[in-house]
Amino acid sequence: NTPVLELDDVSVVYESLSGPVQAVSDVSLKVYPNTVVGLIGESGSGKSTLANAIMRLLRNNARLTKGTIRVMGQDIYALGKKELRTFRWNKMSMVFQSAMTALNPVMTIEKQLVDTFRSHRKGMSYAEAKARSIDLLKLVRIDEKHLASFPHELSGGMRQRVVIAIAIALEPSLVIMDEPTTALDVVVQRSILNQIQELQREHGFAILFISHDFSLVAELASRIAIMYAGRIVENTDAHALDRDVPHHPYTEGLMRAIPKLTLEDVQIQGIAGHPPDLLRLPSGCAYHPRCPHATDKCRSVRPSLYELPHARVECHLYGEEKGGDDDTWMRRQ
Ligand code: ATP
Ligand code: SF4
Ligand code: MG
């Protein structure tokens, strides 16, 4: 089973007037066919930067400083310009975070869909591209009468469906979705999520689903990568989040921040403190200023990645006694 997406030790730095911003650090991650991997983290943790790096659409002041990114075995940064153009949208596509503005306001939906096909499928006739566009709209449950509509004539949820339709139009193997439902109300969010799930099951593409909403991601993904200050601090089996097993202290903090509705009370506990300044990352474990378990070692030594039965975590709590005591992680139960 070859991964559709394979990130190996990826780092991205922005050059800024105040100095280099270490937005993504040493990220390794695999996404397999027909699966959904969730990527979550607070605002500014580097999620969109990583997504743009995968699409090779980094901003001019950003640079991939380390690592390799493979999509279907192909090193994205080894592609020539022309090959890259074919690769993008055909093999990998993305629903951008600003998707609500991704559609051209002065073009009908028909024109935008037809263009998607015709710019990537040389020789496809207008009639065939239109027929495919109608199929595509059906797939995302939009009536074909809306081919004639302009984006502003559609609701937010419908516009987002069109954007998703364009992303899957050329049947890519990997679809990156960067906060695809954040701008929508909860009911519409739910219906779009269900649809994404359905499309994914039917068509078998892999999804990297980016969000800051833990409960949303937990519903959709089989694996979840948790990003903090540019690092994936935990990569966990999504089911392990329902079980009483140990996680990275940051993950535990995020989980506590999910509203829990019980008959007696409503508990929401945010994580104290602020995400770090990426210009001046804290020494050792970047989470130490906010971590309730931080020790002197955490303040000076960056933790390695440790394997738990259900997850991989970058935290000293799980690695102090490597070798010998193989149930180190049990001590926190
Ligand atoms: P959000 O949840 O708000 O979308 P994110 O996790 O997607 O956040 P990114 O947009 O990847 O975060 O940003 C990561 C870091 O990189 C941020 O600290 C941001 O300040 C910095 N950054 C982003 N774009 C630029 C840029 N063009 N120049 C300099 N720094 C940037
Ligand atoms: Fe907390 Fe230390 Fe683990 Fe970092 S390494 S998350 S500071 S316990
Ligand atoms: Mg983002």
Side-chain angles (χ1 to χ4, degrees), residues 54-322:
I54 297 167
M55 291 295 284
R56 209 170 134 184
L57 286 171
L58 283 170
R59 294 184 188 277
N60 291 333
N61 66 330
R63 212 156 45 84
L64 184 82
T65 52
K66 192 154 71 71
T68 50
I69 298 176
R70 287 200 175 79
V71 175
M72 302 174 73
Q74 171 67 53
D75 180 345
I76 295 301
Y77 286 76
L79 289 169
K81 280 239 164 68
K82 210 174 142 199
E83 299 165 299
L84 178 64
R85 252 201 312 276
T86 324
F87 210 86
R88 241 187 243 145
W89 308 117
N90 277 299
K91 308 277 194 224
M92 60 178 182
S93 71
M94 179 159 162
V95 174
F96 291 92
Q97 186 163 7
S98 53
M100 300 307 278
T101 55
L103 297 170
N104 187 331
V106 298
M107 260 193 212
T108 61
I109 301 303
E110 171 170 337
K111 177 92 173 82
Q112 301 192 47
L113 291 175
V114 164
D115 278 1
T116 303
F117 286 112
R118 296 189 82 202
S119 60
H120 291 273
R121 297 277 187 273
K122 296 294 170 218
M124 186 185 280
S125 70
Y126 196 97
E128 191 188 344
K130 184 170 175 181
R132 291 240 203 153
S133 301
I134 293 170
D135 290 344
L136 204 53
L137 283 187
K138 263 195 212 130
L139 221 50
V140 293
R141 304 225 185 91
I142 294 181
D143 193 284
E144 65 177 89
K145 74 172 188 225
H146 288 297
L147 278 177
S149 303
F150 287 93
H152 73 266
E153 295 173 309
L154 304 180
S155 68
M158 282 165 92
R159 280 202 294 267
Q160 190 60 318
R161 276 170 226 252
V162 172
V163 172
I164 291 169
I166 290 174
I168 63 172
L170 304 168
E171 297 172 24
S173 305
L174 172 69
V175 183
I176 301 171
M177 298 190 174
D178 193 357
E179 311 259 9
T181 62
T182 305
L184 305 167
D185 70 61
V186 176
V187 178
V188 179
Q189 240 184 40
R190 175 118 336 266
S191 106
I192 291 198
L193 271 196
N194 289 342
Q195 245 178 308
I196 291 173
Q197 236 164 351
E198 229 172 84
L199 289 170
Q200 196 262 341
R201 279 197 210 112
E202 260 171 59
H203 297 267
F205 47 81
I207 301 179
L208 180 63
F209 189 93
I210 299 175
S211 178
H212 59 260
D213 185 335
F214 209 119
S215 43
L216 206 70
V217 173
E219 234 173 275
L220 206 63
S222 53
R223 285 208 77 84
I224 299 183
I226 294 121
M227 209 164 181
Y228 187 78
R231 304 187 72 83
I232 291 184
V233 295
E234 171 159 356
N235 180 327
T236 178
D237 181 336
H239 297 298
L241 296 170
D242 305 330
R243 288 186 277 133
D244 192 17
V245 289
H247 291 282
H248 191 281
Y250 177 58
T251 311
E252 289 173 355
L254 287 175
M255 283 162 65
R256 270 195 302 277
I258 301 176
K260 283 191 185 59
L261 288 160
T262 62
L263 284 178
E264 299 93 61
D265 61 335
V266 180
Q267 292 182 317
I268 308 176
Q269 228 182 309
I271 302 174
H274 300 283
D277 179 355
L278 299 180
L279 281 163
R280 287 167 218 84
L281 280 172
S283 58
C285 170
Y287 191 54
H288 84 246
R290 300 170 80 183
C291 181
H293 309 288
T295 62
D296 284 342
K297 185 178 181 186
C298 301
R299 287 181 268 273
S300 55
V301 183
R302 187 161 70 213
S304 322
L305 193 63
Y306 297 109
E307 293 270 353
L308 305 183
H310 53 281
R312 290 191 290 279
V313 287
E314 279 190 356
C315 172
H316 289 309
L317 285 175
Y318 304 107
E320 293 153 304
E321 290 167 32
K322 272 211 104 180

Side-chain angles (χ1 to χ4, degrees), residues 14 21 23 42-49 59 61 97 179 278:
Y14 287 100
V21 179
E42 288 164 298
S43 183
S45 56
K47 305 180 298 295
S48 296
T49 303
R59 294 184 188 277
N61 66 330
Q97 186 163 7
E179 311 259 9
L278 299 180

